[in-house]
Amino acid sequence: RAVEEFRLAPGHNSNIPIPASDRDVTLSDNQKAELEGSTSTLLEELGKTNAVDGDELLRERFLAQLSAARELVRAQSIRAYLFYQLVVEVLSRLVSTYGKTALGVAAAKLLELYVEYLVKG
């Protein structure tokens, strides 16, 4: 149980499945384009803000993590758990903080695609 708890990304909730640590996923061109586009949209929206919850450094870290996730998607073959570790905290925090705003909606969309393509797919 302790090992499983350690594997959880910060911000994890029980609605987000955790992929196996050794699971590699190869994306189709359409999946790659959709994930890349959704990540770019989110980066654009996050770039328009000055801070996340008043924290400028947190915003910068989130931008860096999302940029790294986009680079993984561009490779088309992804270790699903690595993507999970990069984005779950970011997306969960943005969805809970920004809700129905463009930023919150973009984060929710990327989270939905992540689960569909990298966890379930």
Side-chain angles (χ1 to χ4, degrees), residues 50-72:
N50 292 325
V52 172
D53 281 345
D55 188 338
E56 292 174 34
L57 293 176
L58 182 62
R59 174 188 166 269
E60 292 301 317
R61 185 184 64 161
F62 282 6
L63 285 168
Q65 285 177 243
L66 289 168
S67 294
R70 183 174 56 187
E71 290 304 312
L72 285 174

Side-chain angles (χ1 to χ4, degrees), residues 1-9 81 85:
R1 182 176 170 104
V3 169
E4 286 303 309
E5 287 177 15
F6 179 72
R7 287 185 62 225
L8 296 177
Y81 186 68
Q85 286 287 17

Side-chain angles (χ1 to χ4, degrees), residues 33-48:
E34 213 173 346
L35 276 168
E36 190 174 339
S38 187
T39 304
S40 293
T41 300
L42 181 56
L43 283 164
E44 232 175 77
E45 290 299 324
L46 186 56
K48 295 176 186 176

Side-chain angles (χ1 to χ4, degrees), residues 27 32 35-36 69-76 78 83:
L27 300 170
K32 176 186 167 193
L35 276 168
E36 190 174 339
R70 183 174 56 187
E71 290 304 312
L72 285 174
V73 167
R74 287 178 176 162
Q76 275 188 294
I78 300 173
F83 196 86

